[in-house]
Amino acid sequence: MKRMFVFFIIFVFTIGIGSIYFLNRTGPEQQDIVISPQKEQQVVYKMPFERETPKEEVKVDTQAQEEVALPDKIIEAVQWTVEAFPDHETQIVAVGDSLTEGFGDTSKRGGYVGILDRTLNEERQIATINNFGKRGISSAQLLQQLNKEEVFTAIKDSNIILITIGANDLLQVVRENIADLQIEDFAPKQMEFGKNVNRIIEQIQEINSSSRIYLIGFYNPFDRYFSDIKELNMIVDSWNNTTRLISERYSNLTFIPTDDLFQDEEINLLAEDNFHPNYIGYHRIAARVLAYITKEKDEEHVHSKPAFERKK
């Protein structure tokens, strides 16, 4: 248990540093993000300079350059996504925390939601995606966000709803019990989280009972470096099981697992804060989500690596 305590101190410190770094670079007006094809077209790819520039003026973000070089879309999915969607334009709403917002994607292209947008609309406009993800939001705060007029209206007109929520509920337990953290400290918050998720689903169904809802599960960001601390996997598995059981109660609700996507020692899937996904991590989440919403849940589309990651 001592190891777990030390680890969580590192955990909170790391998240704090990451948050401060992000806040210093991002203004309040950027917290609410709406992803649209028009905005995606504004992405500027770095090109070689045509004239000499003083060295002190050149600032190279190596990680961002590498991520921009990666595929804008899920390459192998274009054809079967087009075939899976109806002729009329599909309305997709994404709500939740920083994973929905796309925090950690240094290319600034919207994380997994942006990848979905670019993939779905590669050949023609078949989906409009409204992204209401906000960093730091808890399940209780998401419940309140559903009452906002713009979110309410978007959900009412939607065909598909994507949700990532719960990481900040879990983190709250750590912050409140940092002096003497025990596994049992998570149980009350987990019950509260489960009740909030259930209420979120019920409220969404009151707004729009015909929309398909997808709950995207947790992953353990520390499994690569702290695989010997079994308590972490136990906590993640338990919280995932809460949302999985809730999804079984509703015919239009599907749980999408992501924990297996990040159990890879060969490639770094996390951002600099070692908590949020980097672009490659978001690409894996996007591929998994797309496989579920298009019902292409076979071995090739769900469990294999994206095409650009596979060895030639």
Side-chain angles (χ1 to χ4, degrees):
M1 211 56 215
K2 289 183 179 179
R3 286 188 306 168
M4 187 176 181
F5 169 68
V6 173
F7 165 75
F8 273 114
I9 291 179
I10 298 173
F11 172 83
V12 174
F13 177 79
T14 303
I15 297 302
I17 293 298
S19 299
I20 292 171
Y21 172 78
F22 182 77
L23 288 170
N24 285 337
R25 297 181 60 186
T26 308
E29 71 277 5
Q30 293 176 305
Q31 292 184 5
D32 291 319
I33 299 175
V34 177
I35 292 179
S36 66
Q38 290 75 21
K39 285 189 176 182
E40 291 295 343
Q41 292 172 2
Q42 296 174 6
V43 175
V44 178
Y45 293 84
K46 295 186 178 182
M47 301 296 290
F49 291 101
E50 295 182 357
R51 58 183 176 80
E52 284 190 27
T53 305
K55 291 184 178 180
E56 61 270 20
E57 294 181 9
V58 179
K59 295 182 180 180
V60 179
D61 187 338
T62 304
Q63 183 179 1
Q65 285 186 324
E66 290 177 351
E67 292 184 358
V68 167
L70 294 173
D72 278 348
K73 59 185 182 301
I74 303 169
I75 300 172
E76 66 271 38
V78 175
Q79 187 57 45
W80 49 268
T81 53
V82 171
E83 293 175 352
F85 278 75
D87 293 334
H88 62 276
E89 192 168 329
T90 299
Q91 302 293 321
I92 300 176
V93 173
V95 296
D97 51 29
S98 54
L99 293 184
T100 295
E101 186 185 85
F103 180 75
D105 177 7
T106 56
S107 68
K108 305 300 180 186
R109 292 182 288 170
Y112 93 88
V113 179
I115 295 169
L116 288 180
D117 195 339
R118 294 188 292 275
T119 301
L120 293 173
N121 298 309
E122 168 67 12
E123 296 187 352
R124 59 183 174 86
Q125 184 72 24
I126 64 175
T128 296
I129 303 181
N130 291 309
N131 188 346
F132 298 102
K134 182 175 292 186
R135 65 183 183 272
I137 196 172
S138 66
S139 58
Q141 291 171 323
L142 176 56
L143 192 59
Q144 297 174 354
Q145 188 191 45
L146 298 180
N147 294 319
K148 291 186 177 181
E149 183 177 357
E150 58 178 349
V151 179
F152 182 96
T153 301
I155 290 175
K156 184 178 180 181
D157 298 333
S158 70
N159 306 108
I160 294 173
I161 299 170
L162 307 173
I163 304 173
T164 64
I165 200 67
N168 294 299
D169 295 70
L170 194 151
L171 184 56
Q172 183 180 341
V173 179
V174 178
R175 290 170 176 162
E176 293 177 352
N177 299 277
I178 190 65
D180 184 26
L181 188 65
Q182 305 291 328
I183 292 181
E184 51 267 25
D185 294 330
F186 291 89
K189 193 65 178 180
Q190 184 177 341
M191 291 181 62
E192 179 185 335
F193 165 70
K195 291 179 180 178
N196 286 339
V197 171
N198 201 61
R199 291 170 62 192
I200 288 168
I201 302 305
E202 290 179 348
Q203 189 161 327
I204 289 176
Q205 289 197 328
E206 288 178 4
I207 300 172
N208 183 346
S209 60
S210 61
S211 188
R212 291 289 312 175
I213 307 170
Y214 295 88
L215 272 172
I216 301 170
F218 291 96
Y219 62 92
N220 180 2
F222 303 103
D223 187 59
R224 181 177 182 183
Y225 303 102
F226 299 94
S227 58
D228 59 323
I229 304 179
K230 304 303 180 184
E231 293 89 346
L232 294 172
N233 279 327
M234 291 170 58
I235 293 168
V236 171
D237 289 345
S238 181
W239 284 57
N240 271 331
N241 194 48
T242 295
T243 50
R244 184 182 288 106
L245 290 174
I246 291 174
S247 69
E248 294 175 357
R249 302 174 189 171
Y250 302 90
S251 59
N252 65 332
L253 176 61
T254 301
F255 174 78
I256 303 179
T258 63
D259 53 331
D260 60 303
L261 299 178
F262 291 82
Q263 296 173 5
D264 192 335
E265 298 180 355
E266 298 179 359
I267 187 169
N268 180 31
L269 301 169
L270 300 178
E272 291 182 353
D273 64 3
N274 289 317
F275 184 78
H276 293 87
N278 58 19
Y279 184 82
I280 302 176
Y282 277 121
H283 199 286
R284 288 191 176 190
I285 293 176
R288 173 64 57 82
V289 171
L290 197 56
Y292 269 72
I293 65 179
T294 57
K295 303 186 186 304
E296 290 286 343
K297 296 183 292 183
D298 56 31
E299 186 70 21
E300 177 184 357
H301 294 130
V302 173
H303 298 292
S304 65
K305 294 181 180 179
F308 73 91
E309 286 191 58
R310 299 170 196 162
K311 294 181 180 179
K312 305 297 183 182

